[in-house]
Amino acid sequence: MEVDIIEFKAPTESNKALFIWDLQAGYSHAYIYERVFSAFSSFGPLFLVKVLPNSPSVSPGFYSLVKFYCSRHALQAQRSTDGTLLFQSTPVKVRLSTRQAPFLQFDNQLLSHSRCLELANHCLGFNGWSTRIINVSGRSQTTLRYGCLLELSFPQHGVSTRGVAVIEETFSLSGPAVCMQKHSKLQRWVRDKALVHAFSSVLLILLGDGRVMVELRPGDQLRLEDQPDEVIKVQIEYILFYVFIYVHTSTYTCECIHRKRGRAIRIYIYIYIICVCVHINTHRICYCVSSR
């Protein structure tokens, strides 16, 4: 039985790349890209699709580069599409790459957050995996710094792993609305990075009969007790960000103190800070995030 292993990293093997020649010049670049993507994505998930114009030394037209995550999908696509019309009136030539082109080299880099979701959903389905935020914490002085510990699970396979990320960004003093926007943005960013880190230890095993198995790379699992010091540190100092927001907002509150809404605004801020403090004292955030 044939077995292929897919990692959540940019594929580097040359046998996963296809070159398509003799694409006619009578179509727009966008149209050719759409049709090439549609035709080849039916064989398996695609990492890369490029459509480029022919060199001036040859006849007008285009050629395309398609890269799969799985070598078996690339071979099936090559055998099925070579010499066919594809979407035009003349047949195309489709060949497997025999060497690694410079523009197809990605140094085995991790996939982006969106590509991780795309690959997982294609191979496992939208209900084939889920995430749980174990902890998100942050602090603020002159720098916003956040840490996230996340659990990635595959219920149908009885497999789970963890990912961690710590990010920081410097900022200048600005209005409370801007600070809250940065706070929200960095929280989302650190969760995305933690998920990418969790996926980096996952191996998708594609069997010849179409089944998919999930395994973890040996030694890459992050245990809960292995939580990095950076995450623990920013967790302890999480409240500083909200203290900063309160102090910075107080200026606006004082300007409104002679208005009817001044007292309401100040009371709202007090309640908000108290709620945050109570929330932090639980030391963790345990809610499920849909894999969608």
Side-chain angles (χ1 to χ4, degrees), residues 74-138:
L75 181 59
Q76 291 174 348
Q78 189 274 328
R79 291 174 175 175
S80 300
T81 58
D82 183 37
T84 65
L85 299 180
L86 209 58
F87 59 88
Q88 55 187 29
S89 58
T90 57
V92 297
K93 296 178 182 178
V94 182
R95 298 289 186 272
L96 281 169
S97 174
T98 56
R99 62 177 180 172
Q100 188 64 273
F103 45 80
L104 291 179
Q105 294 179 357
F106 296 91
D107 298 326
N108 209 29
Q109 66 187 25
L110 297 179
L111 298 182
S112 65
H113 176 261
S114 60
R115 287 185 180 273
C116 285
L117 301 186
E118 178 184 330
L119 180 59
N121 290 335
H122 189 285
C123 295
L124 302 171
F126 290 100
N127 297 321
W129 61 280
S130 63
T131 59
R132 179 172 67 93
I133 306 298
I134 297 175
N135 199 301
V136 176
S137 53

Short mmCIF file of all heavy atoms in Angstrom, two decimals, residues 74-138:
data_model
loop_
_atom_site.label_atom_id
_atom_site.label_comp_id
_atom_site.label_asym_id
_atom_site.label_seq_id
_atom_site.Cartn_x
_atom_site.Cartn_y
_atom_site.Cartn_z
N ALA A 74 0.72 14.82 -7.20
CA ALA A 74 1.39 15.44 -8.35
C ALA A 74 1.51 14.46 -9.51
O ALA A 74 1.27 14.81 -10.67
CB ALA A 74 2.77 15.96 -7.93
N LEU A 75 1.88 13.21 -9.21
CA LEU A 75 2.02 12.21 -10.26
C LEU A 75 0.67 11.89 -10.90
O LEU A 75 0.57 11.77 -12.13
CB LEU A 75 2.64 10.94 -9.67
CG LEU A 75 2.90 9.79 -10.64
CD1 LEU A 75 3.83 10.22 -11.77
CD2 LEU A 75 3.46 8.57 -9.90
N GLN A 76 -0.37 11.76 -10.09
CA GLN A 76 -1.70 11.49 -10.64
C GLN A 76 -2.16 12.64 -11.54
O GLN A 76 -2.74 12.41 -12.61
CB GLN A 76 -2.69 11.28 -9.50
CG GLN A 76 -2.48 10.00 -8.72
CD GLN A 76 -3.39 9.91 -7.50
OE1 GLN A 76 -4.02 10.89 -7.09
NE2 GLN A 76 -3.45 8.73 -6.89
N ALA A 77 -1.90 13.86 -11.12
CA ALA A 77 -2.29 15.02 -11.91
C ALA A 77 -1.54 15.07 -13.24
O ALA A 77 -2.12 15.36 -14.29
CB ALA A 77 -2.05 16.30 -11.11
N GLN A 78 -0.26 14.76 -13.19
CA GLN A 78 0.54 14.79 -14.43
C GLN A 78 0.05 13.75 -15.44
O GLN A 78 -0.12 14.04 -16.62
CB GLN A 78 2.01 14.53 -14.07
CG GLN A 78 2.99 14.74 -15.23
CD GLN A 78 3.15 13.50 -16.09
OE1 GLN A 78 3.06 12.37 -15.59
NE2 GLN A 78 3.38 13.70 -17.39
N ARG A 79 -0.23 12.55 -14.95
CA ARG A 79 -0.68 11.49 -15.85
C ARG A 79 -2.07 11.76 -16.41
O ARG A 79 -2.38 11.38 -17.55
CB ARG A 79 -0.67 10.15 -15.12
CG ARG A 79 0.74 9.65 -14.79
CD ARG A 79 0.68 8.39 -13.94
NE ARG A 79 2.01 7.82 -13.72
CZ ARG A 79 2.26 6.78 -12.93
NH1 ARG A 79 1.25 6.19 -12.27
NH2 ARG A 79 3.49 6.32 -12.78
N SER A 80 -2.90 12.43 -15.65
CA SER A 80 -4.28 12.65 -16.06
C SER A 80 -4.46 13.86 -16.96
O SER A 80 -5.41 13.92 -17.74
CB SER A 80 -5.18 12.82 -14.83
OG SER A 80 -5.15 11.67 -14.01
N THR A 81 -3.56 14.84 -16.88
CA THR A 81 -3.76 16.09 -17.62
C THR A 81 -2.81 16.27 -18.80
O THR A 81 -3.07 17.08 -19.68
CB THR A 81 -3.60 17.29 -16.68
OG1 THR A 81 -2.29 17.26 -16.08
CG2 THR A 81 -4.66 17.26 -15.57
N ASP A 82 -1.71 15.54 -18.83
CA ASP A 82 -0.74 15.70 -19.93
C ASP A 82 -1.39 15.34 -21.26
O ASP A 82 -1.96 14.25 -21.42
CB ASP A 82 0.48 14.83 -19.68
CG ASP A 82 1.54 15.02 -20.76
OD1 ASP A 82 1.71 16.16 -21.23
OD2 ASP A 82 2.20 14.02 -21.12
N GLY A 83 -1.31 16.25 -22.22
CA GLY A 83 -1.87 16.00 -23.54
C GLY A 83 -3.36 16.26 -23.66
O GLY A 83 -3.94 16.04 -24.73
N THR A 84 -3.98 16.74 -22.62
CA THR A 84 -5.43 17.05 -22.66
C THR A 84 -5.63 18.53 -23.01
O THR A 84 -4.70 19.34 -22.94
CB THR A 84 -6.10 16.74 -21.33
OG1 THR A 84 -5.57 17.61 -20.32
CG2 THR A 84 -5.84 15.29 -20.92
N LEU A 85 -6.87 18.87 -23.34
CA LEU A 85 -7.18 20.26 -23.67
C LEU A 85 -7.23 21.14 -22.42
O LEU A 85 -7.04 22.35 -22.52
CB LEU A 85 -8.52 20.33 -24.41
CG LEU A 85 -8.60 19.57 -25.74
CD1 LEU A 85 -9.98 19.72 -26.36
CD2 LEU A 85 -7.53 20.07 -26.71
N LEU A 86 -7.52 20.55 -21.30
CA LEU A 86 -7.64 21.25 -20.02
C LEU A 86 -8.80 22.25 -20.08
O LEU A 86 -9.89 21.94 -19.65
CB LEU A 86 -6.31 21.92 -19.66
CG LEU A 86 -6.03 22.08 -18.16
CD1 LEU A 86 -6.04 20.73 -17.46
CD2 LEU A 86 -4.69 22.78 -17.93
N PHE A 87 -8.58 23.42 -20.63
CA PHE A 87 -9.69 24.40 -20.75
C PHE A 87 -9.62 25.15 -22.07
O PHE A 87 -10.41 26.06 -22.32
CB PHE A 87 -9.63 25.41 -19.59
CG PHE A 87 -8.34 26.19 -19.54
CD1 PHE A 87 -8.18 27.36 -20.26
CD2 PHE A 87 -7.29 25.74 -18.78
CE1 PHE A 87 -6.99 28.07 -20.21
CE2 PHE A 87 -6.09 26.44 -18.72
CZ PHE A 87 -5.93 27.61 -19.43
N GLN A 88 -8.66 24.75 -22.94
CA GLN A 88 -8.46 25.48 -24.18
C GLN A 88 -8.65 24.56 -25.38
O GLN A 88 -9.06 23.41 -25.25
CB GLN A 88 -7.07 26.11 -24.20
CG GLN A 88 -5.95 25.11 -23.96
CD GLN A 88 -4.59 25.78 -23.81
OE1 GLN A 88 -4.47 26.92 -23.36
NE2 GLN A 88 -3.54 25.06 -24.19
N SER A 89 -8.39 25.09 -26.59
CA SER A 89 -8.66 24.33 -27.82
C SER A 89 -7.48 23.49 -28.27
O SER A 89 -7.61 22.68 -29.19
CB SER A 89 -9.04 25.30 -28.95
OG SER A 89 -8.01 26.25 -29.17
N THR A 90 -6.30 23.66 -27.66
CA THR A 90 -5.12 22.87 -28.00
C THR A 90 -4.62 22.16 -26.74
O THR A 90 -4.77 22.67 -25.63
CB THR A 90 -4.00 23.76 -28.57
OG1 THR A 90 -3.67 24.78 -27.62
CG2 THR A 90 -4.45 24.41 -29.88
N PRO A 91 -3.99 21.00 -26.90
CA PRO A 91 -3.53 20.24 -25.73
C PRO A 91 -2.35 20.93 -25.03
O PRO A 91 -1.60 21.69 -25.64
CB PRO A 91 -3.11 18.89 -26.32
CG PRO A 91 -2.83 19.16 -27.76
CD PRO A 91 -3.76 20.26 -28.16
N VAL A 92 -2.22 20.65 -23.76
CA VAL A 92 -1.12 21.21 -22.97
C VAL A 92 -0.12 20.11 -22.64
O VAL A 92 -0.43 18.92 -22.71
CB VAL A 92 -1.65 21.83 -21.65
CG1 VAL A 92 -2.59 22.99 -21.95
CG2 VAL A 92 -2.34 20.78 -20.80
N LYS A 93 1.08 20.52 -22.31
CA LYS A 93 2.11 19.59 -21.86
C LYS A 93 2.29 19.76 -20.35
O LYS A 93 2.44 20.88 -19.86
CB LYS A 93 3.44 19.88 -22.56
CG LYS A 93 3.41 19.66 -24.07
CD LYS A 93 4.75 20.01 -24.68
CE LYS A 93 4.72 19.83 -26.20
NZ LYS A 93 6.02 20.23 -26.82
N VAL A 94 2.27 18.65 -19.65
CA VAL A 94 2.42 18.68 -18.19
C VAL A 94 3.56 17.73 -17.83
O VAL A 94 3.53 16.55 -18.18
CB VAL A 94 1.12 18.26 -17.48
CG1 VAL A 94 1.30 18.35 -15.97
CG2 VAL A 94 -0.05 19.12 -17.94
N ARG A 95 4.56 18.25 -17.13
CA ARG A 95 5.73 17.45 -16.76
C ARG A 95 6.04 17.63 -15.27
O ARG A 95 5.88 18.71 -14.72
CB ARG A 95 6.95 17.86 -17.58
CG ARG A 95 6.80 17.66 -19.08
CD ARG A 95 6.83 16.19 -19.45
NE ARG A 95 6.83 16.00 -20.89
CZ ARG A 95 5.74 15.93 -21.65
NH1 ARG A 95 4.55 16.03 -21.06
NH2 ARG A 95 5.82 15.77 -22.95
N LEU A 96 6.52 16.53 -14.66
CA LEU A 96 7.03 16.63 -13.30
C LEU A 96 8.38 17.33 -13.34
O LEU A 96 9.18 17.14 -14.26
CB LEU A 96 7.20 15.24 -12.69
CG LEU A 96 5.95 14.55 -12.16
CD1 LEU A 96 6.26 13.10 -11.84
CD2 LEU A 96 5.43 15.26 -10.92
N SER A 97 8.65 18.12 -12.33
CA SER A 97 9.93 18.81 -12.23
C SER A 97 11.04 17.81 -11.98
O SER A 97 10.89 16.87 -11.19
CB SER A 97 9.88 19.84 -11.10
OG SER A 97 11.16 20.42 -10.91
N THR A 98 12.17 17.99 -12.67
CA THR A 98 13.31 17.10 -12.48
C THR A 98 14.37 17.71 -11.58
O THR A 98 15.30 17.05 -11.16
CB THR A 98 13.96 16.77 -13.84
OG1 THR A 98 14.31 18.00 -14.50
CG2 THR A 98 12.98 15.99 -14.71
N ARG A 99 14.21 19.00 -11.29
CA ARG A 99 15.13 19.67 -10.38
C ARG A 99 14.40 20.80 -9.69
O ARG A 99 13.34 21.25 -10.15
CB ARG A 99 16.36 20.20 -11.12
CG ARG A 99 16.02 21.24 -12.18
CD ARG A 99 17.28 21.78 -12.83
NE ARG A 99 16.98 22.79 -13.84
CZ ARG A 99 17.90 23.52 -14.46
NH1 ARG A 99 19.18 23.35 -14.15
NH2 ARG A 99 17.55 24.41 -15.37
N GLN A 100 14.97 21.28 -8.62
CA GLN A 100 14.33 22.32 -7.82
C GLN A 100 14.67 23.69 -8.40
O GLN A 100 15.82 24.11 -8.40
CB GLN A 100 14.81 22.24 -6.37
CG GLN A 100 14.06 23.16 -5.42
CD GLN A 100 12.60 22.80 -5.31
OE1 GLN A 100 11.78 23.26 -6.10
NE2 GLN A 100 12.27 21.98 -4.33
N ALA A 101 13.63 24.37 -8.92
CA ALA A 101 13.83 25.72 -9.43
C ALA A 101 14.05 26.68 -8.26
O ALA A 101 13.47 26.51 -7.20
CB ALA A 101 12.61 26.15 -10.25
N PRO A 102 14.88 27.72 -8.44
CA PRO A 102 15.17 28.65 -7.34
C PRO A 102 13.92 29.29 -6.75
O PRO A 102 13.82 29.49 -5.54
CB PRO A 102 16.07 29.70 -8.00
CG PRO A 102 16.71 28.99 -9.15
CD PRO A 102 15.66 28.03 -9.65
N PHE A 103 12.93 29.61 -7.60
CA PHE A 103 11.74 30.28 -7.09
C PHE A 103 10.76 29.30 -6.44
O PHE A 103 9.71 29.71 -5.98
CB PHE A 103 11.04 31.05 -8.22
CG PHE A 103 10.90 30.28 -9.51
CD1 PHE A 103 9.91 29.33 -9.67
CD2 PHE A 103 11.79 30.50 -10.54
CE1 PHE A 103 9.79 28.62 -10.84
CE2 PHE A 103 11.67 29.79 -11.73
CZ PHE A 103 10.67 28.85 -11.87
N LEU A 104 11.10 28.00 -6.43
CA LEU A 104 10.27 27.01 -5.75
C LEU A 104 10.90 26.54 -4.45
O LEU A 104 10.38 25.65 -3.79
CB LEU A 104 10.03 25.80 -6.67
CG LEU A 104 9.14 26.04 -7.89
CD1 LEU A 104 9.02 24.76 -8.71
CD2 LEU A 104 7.77 26.54 -7.49
N GLN A 105 12.00 27.15 -4.05
CA GLN A 105 12.67 26.77 -2.82
C GLN A 105 12.16 27.64 -1.67
O GLN A 105 12.13 28.86 -1.77
CB GLN A 105 14.19 26.93 -2.97
CG GLN A 105 14.79 25.96 -4.00
CD GLN A 105 16.29 26.15 -4.16
OE1 GLN A 105 16.88 27.04 -3.56
NE2 GLN A 105 16.89 25.31 -4.98
N PHE A 106 11.76 26.97 -0.59
CA PHE A 106 11.21 27.69 0.56
C PHE A 106 11.90 27.32 1.86
O PHE A 106 11.43 27.67 2.93
CB PHE A 106 9.70 27.38 0.67
CG PHE A 106 8.91 27.87 -0.49
CD1 PHE A 106 8.68 27.04 -1.58
CD2 PHE A 106 8.40 29.16 -0.52
CE1 PHE A 106 7.94 27.47 -2.67
CE2 PHE A 106 7.67 29.60 -1.61
CZ PHE A 106 7.44 28.76 -2.68
N ASP A 107 13.02 26.61 1.78
CA ASP A 107 13.83 26.28 2.96
C ASP A 107 13.03 25.60 4.07
O ASP A 107 13.24 25.83 5.26
CB ASP A 107 14.49 27.54 3.52
CG ASP A 107 15.44 28.18 2.50
OD1 ASP A 107 16.07 27.41 1.75
OD2 ASP A 107 15.55 29.41 2.49
N ASN A 108 12.05 24.79 3.68
CA ASN A 108 11.30 24.00 4.65
C ASN A 108 10.61 24.87 5.72
O ASN A 108 10.50 24.50 6.88
CB ASN A 108 12.21 22.98 5.34
CG ASN A 108 11.44 21.75 5.77
OD1 ASN A 108 10.44 21.38 5.17
ND2 ASN A 108 11.90 21.10 6.83
N GLN A 109 10.16 26.05 5.32
CA GLN A 109 9.56 26.98 6.27
C GLN A 109 8.16 26.51 6.68
O GLN A 109 7.49 25.78 5.94
CB GLN A 109 9.47 28.37 5.65
CG GLN A 109 8.51 28.46 4.46
CD GLN A 109 8.56 29.80 3.76
OE1 GLN A 109 9.56 30.48 3.83
NE2 GLN A 109 7.48 30.17 3.11
N LEU A 110 7.73 26.92 7.86
CA LEU A 110 6.40 26.56 8.34
C LEU A 110 5.33 27.22 7.49
O LEU A 110 5.53 28.31 6.94
CB LEU A 110 6.24 26.99 9.80
CG LEU A 110 7.16 26.33 10.82
CD1 LEU A 110 6.87 26.89 12.21
CD2 LEU A 110 7.00 24.83 10.82
N LEU A 111 4.19 26.56 7.39
CA LEU A 111 3.07 27.14 6.68
C LEU A 111 2.49 28.31 7.47
O LEU A 111 2.61 28.38 8.69
CB LEU A 111 1.97 26.10 6.46
CG LEU A 111 2.32 24.88 5.61
CD1 LEU A 111 1.09 23.98 5.46
CD2 LEU A 111 2.85 25.28 4.24
N SER A 112 1.86 29.22 6.77
CA SER A 112 1.17 30.32 7.44
C SER A 112 -0.09 29.80 8.13
O SER A 112 -0.51 28.66 7.90
CB SER A 112 0.80 31.40 6.42
OG SER A 112 -0.16 30.88 5.50
N HIS A 113 -0.67 30.63 8.95
CA HIS A 113 -1.89 30.24 9.67
C HIS A 113 -3.00 29.84 8.70
O HIS A 113 -3.65 28.81 8.86
CB HIS A 113 -2.34 31.39 10.56
CG HIS A 113 -3.64 31.15 11.27
ND1 HIS A 113 -4.85 31.65 10.83
CD2 HIS A 113 -3.92 30.43 12.39
CE1 HIS A 113 -5.81 31.27 11.64
NE2 HIS A 113 -5.29 30.53 12.59
N SER A 114 -3.23 30.65 7.66
CA SER A 114 -4.31 30.37 6.71
C SER A 114 -4.04 29.08 5.94
O SER A 114 -4.96 28.30 5.67
CB SER A 114 -4.48 31.54 5.74
OG SER A 114 -3.28 31.78 5.01
N ARG A 115 -2.79 28.81 5.59
CA ARG A 115 -2.46 27.58 4.87
C ARG A 115 -2.61 26.35 5.77
O ARG A 115 -3.02 25.28 5.30
CB ARG A 115 -1.04 27.65 4.32
CG ARG A 115 -0.87 28.58 3.12
CD ARG A 115 0.53 28.50 2.57
NE ARG A 115 0.74 29.37 1.44
CZ ARG A 115 0.49 29.03 0.18
NH1 ARG A 115 0.01 27.83 -0.09
NH2 ARG A 115 0.73 29.89 -0.81
N CYS A 116 -2.30 26.49 7.05
CA CYS A 116 -2.50 25.38 7.99
C CYS A 116 -3.98 25.01 8.05
O CYS A 116 -4.35 23.82 8.01
CB CYS A 116 -2.01 25.76 9.38
SG CYS A 116 -0.21 25.76 9.56
N LEU A 117 -4.84 26.02 8.15
CA LEU A 117 -6.28 25.77 8.20
C LEU A 117 -6.76 25.12 6.90
O LEU A 117 -7.55 24.17 6.92
CB LEU A 117 -7.03 27.07 8.44
CG LEU A 117 -6.72 27.85 9.72
CD1 LEU A 117 -7.68 29.03 9.85
CD2 LEU A 117 -6.80 26.97 10.94
N GLU A 118 -6.28 25.63 5.79
CA GLU A 118 -6.69 25.11 4.49
C GLU A 118 -6.30 23.64 4.32
O GLU A 118 -7.10 22.82 3.88
CB GLU A 118 -6.05 25.96 3.39
CG GLU A 118 -6.35 25.51 1.97
CD GLU A 118 -5.63 26.33 0.94
OE1 GLU A 118 -5.36 27.52 1.19
OE2 GLU A 118 -5.31 25.78 -0.13
N LEU A 119 -5.05 23.31 4.70
CA LEU A 119 -4.58 21.93 4.55
C LEU A 119 -5.30 21.00 5.50
O LEU A 119 -5.70 19.89 5.11
CB LEU A 119 -3.07 21.89 4.80
CG LEU A 119 -2.40 20.52 4.67
CD1 LEU A 119 -2.62 19.93 3.28
CD2 LEU A 119 -0.89 20.63 4.97
N ALA A 120 -5.49 21.42 6.75
CA ALA A 120 -6.17 20.57 7.73
C ALA A 120 -7.62 20.33 7.32
O ALA A 120 -8.12 19.20 7.42
CB ALA A 120 -6.11 21.22 9.12
N ASN A 121 -8.31 21.37 6.87
CA ASN A 121 -9.70 21.21 6.47
C ASN A 121 -9.84 20.34 5.22
O ASN A 121 -10.79 19.57 5.09
CB ASN A 121 -10.34 22.58 6.22
CG ASN A 121 -10.53 23.37 7.50
OD1 ASN A 121 -10.64 22.80 8.57
ND2 ASN A 121 -10.57 24.69 7.38
N HIS A 122 -8.88 20.44 4.31
CA HIS A 122 -8.95 19.64 3.08
C HIS A 122 -8.75 18.16 3.38
O HIS A 122 -9.46 17.30 2.84
CB HIS A 122 -7.89 20.12 2.09
CG HIS A 122 -8.02 19.51 0.72
ND1 HIS A 122 -7.64 18.21 0.45
CD2 HIS A 122 -8.50 20.00 -0.45
CE1 HIS A 122 -7.86 17.94 -0.82
NE2 HIS A 122 -8.38 19.02 -1.39
N CYS A 123 -7.79 17.85 4.24
CA CYS A 123 -7.44 16.44 4.50
C CYS A 123 -8.30 15.80 5.58
O CYS A 123 -8.56 14.59 5.53
CB CYS A 123 -5.97 16.34 4.90
SG CYS A 123 -4.81 16.81 3.59
N LEU A 124 -8.75 16.59 6.56
CA LEU A 124 -9.45 16.03 7.71
C LEU A 124 -10.90 16.46 7.81
O LEU A 124 -11.66 15.87 8.58
CB LEU A 124 -8.72 16.43 9.00
CG LEU A 124 -7.26 16.01 9.10
CD1 LEU A 124 -6.61 16.65 10.31
CD2 LEU A 124 -7.14 14.50 9.17
N GLY A 125 -11.28 17.48 7.06
CA GLY A 125 -12.64 18.00 7.17
C GLY A 125 -12.73 19.04 8.28
O GLY A 125 -11.88 19.12 9.16
N PHE A 126 -13.79 19.84 8.23
CA PHE A 126 -13.94 20.93 9.19
C PHE A 126 -14.13 20.41 10.62
O PHE A 126 -13.81 21.11 11.58
CB PHE A 126 -15.13 21.81 8.80
CG PHE A 126 -14.90 22.61 7.56
CD1 PHE A 126 -15.42 22.20 6.34
CD2 PHE A 126 -14.14 23.77 7.61
CE1 PHE A 126 -15.20 22.95 5.19
CE2 PHE A 126 -13.91 24.51 6.47
CZ PHE A 126 -14.44 24.10 5.25
N ASN A 127 -14.66 19.21 10.77
CA ASN A 127 -14.89 18.65 12.10
C ASN A 127 -13.80 17.66 12.53
O ASN A 127 -13.95 16.98 13.54
CB ASN A 127 -16.25 17.95 12.15
CG ASN A 127 -17.40 18.92 11.91
OD1 ASN A 127 -17.37 20.04 12.38
ND2 ASN A 127 -18.41 18.47 11.15
N GLY A 128 -12.74 17.58 11.76
CA GLY A 128 -11.69 16.61 12.05
C GLY A 128 -10.65 17.08 13.04
O GLY A 128 -9.79 16.30 13.43
N TRP A 129 -10.74 18.35 13.45
CA TRP A 129 -9.76 18.87 14.40
C TRP A 129 -10.38 20.03 15.17
O TRP A 129 -11.38 20.61 14.76
CB TRP A 129 -8.49 19.32 13.69
CG TRP A 129 -8.71 20.42 12.69
CD1 TRP A 129 -9.18 20.30 11.42
CD2 TRP A 129 -8.50 21.82 12.90
NE1 TRP A 129 -9.28 21.52 10.80
CE2 TRP A 129 -8.86 22.48 11.70
CE3 TRP A 129 -8.03 22.58 13.96
CZ2 TRP A 129 -8.76 23.86 11.55
CZ3 TRP A 129 -7.94 23.96 13.81
CH2 TRP A 129 -8.29 24.58 12.62
N SER A 130 -9.80 20.35 16.29
CA SER A 130 -10.31 21.46 17.10
C SER A 130 -9.18 22.03 17.93
O SER A 130 -8.12 21.40 18.09
CB SER A 130 -11.44 20.99 18.02
OG SER A 130 -10.97 20.03 18.94
N THR A 131 -9.39 23.23 18.47
CA THR A 131 -8.39 23.87 19.30
C THR A 131 -9.00 24.30 20.62
O THR A 131 -10.20 24.55 20.71
CB THR A 131 -7.77 25.11 18.62
OG1 THR A 131 -8.81 26.06 18.33
CG2 THR A 131 -7.08 24.72 17.33
N ARG A 132 -8.15 24.37 21.63
CA ARG A 132 -8.58 24.86 22.94
C ARG A 132 -7.50 25.78 23.48
O ARG A 132 -6.33 25.41 23.56
CB ARG A 132 -8.78 23.70 23.92
CG ARG A 132 -9.21 24.13 25.32
CD ARG A 132 -9.59 22.91 26.16
NE ARG A 132 -8.44 22.07 26.45
CZ ARG A 132 -7.69 22.18 27.55
NH1 ARG A 132 -7.96 23.11 28.44
NH2 ARG A 132 -6.68 21.36 27.74
N ILE A 133 -7.88 27.00 23.80
CA ILE A 133 -6.94 27.95 24.35
C ILE A 133 -6.72 27.62 25.83
O ILE A 133 -7.65 27.71 26.63
CB ILE A 133 -7.44 29.39 24.21
CG1 ILE A 133 -7.80 29.71 22.75
CG2 ILE A 133 -6.39 30.37 24.72
CD1 ILE A 133 -6.65 29.61 21.80
N ILE A 134 -5.51 27.24 26.19
CA ILE A 134 -5.20 26.94 27.58
C ILE A 134 -4.88 28.23 28.34
O ILE A 134 -5.31 28.42 29.47
CB ILE A 134 -4.01 25.96 27.66
CG1 ILE A 134 -4.40 24.63 27.00
CG2 ILE A 134 -3.58 25.74 29.11
CD1 ILE A 134 -3.27 23.64 26.92
N ASN A 135 -4.16 29.12 27.71
CA ASN A 135 -3.80 30.35 28.39
C ASN A 135 -3.43 31.42 27.38
O ASN A 135 -2.70 31.14 26.43
CB ASN A 135 -2.62 30.11 29.34
CG ASN A 135 -2.49 31.20 30.38
OD1 ASN A 135 -2.34 32.36 30.05
ND2 ASN A 135 -2.57 30.82 31.64
N VAL A 136 -3.95 32.61 27.55
CA VAL A 136 -3.53 33.80 26.81
C VAL A 136 -3.23 34.87 27.84
O VAL A 136 -4.07 35.17 28.69
CB VAL A 136 -4.60 34.30 25.84
CG1 VAL A 136 -4.13 35.59 25.16
CG2 VAL A 136 -4.93 33.26 24.79
N SER A 137 -2.04 35.43 27.81
CA SER A 137 -1.68 36.44 28.80
C SER A 137 -0.86 37.53 28.15
O SER A 137 -0.26 37.33 27.10
CB SER A 137 -0.91 35.80 29.95
OG SER A 137 0.20 35.07 29.45
N GLY A 138 -0.82 38.70 28.78
CA GLY A 138 -0.08 39.81 28.19
C GLY A 138 0.28 40.85 29.22
O GLY A 138 -0.17 40.82 30.36
#
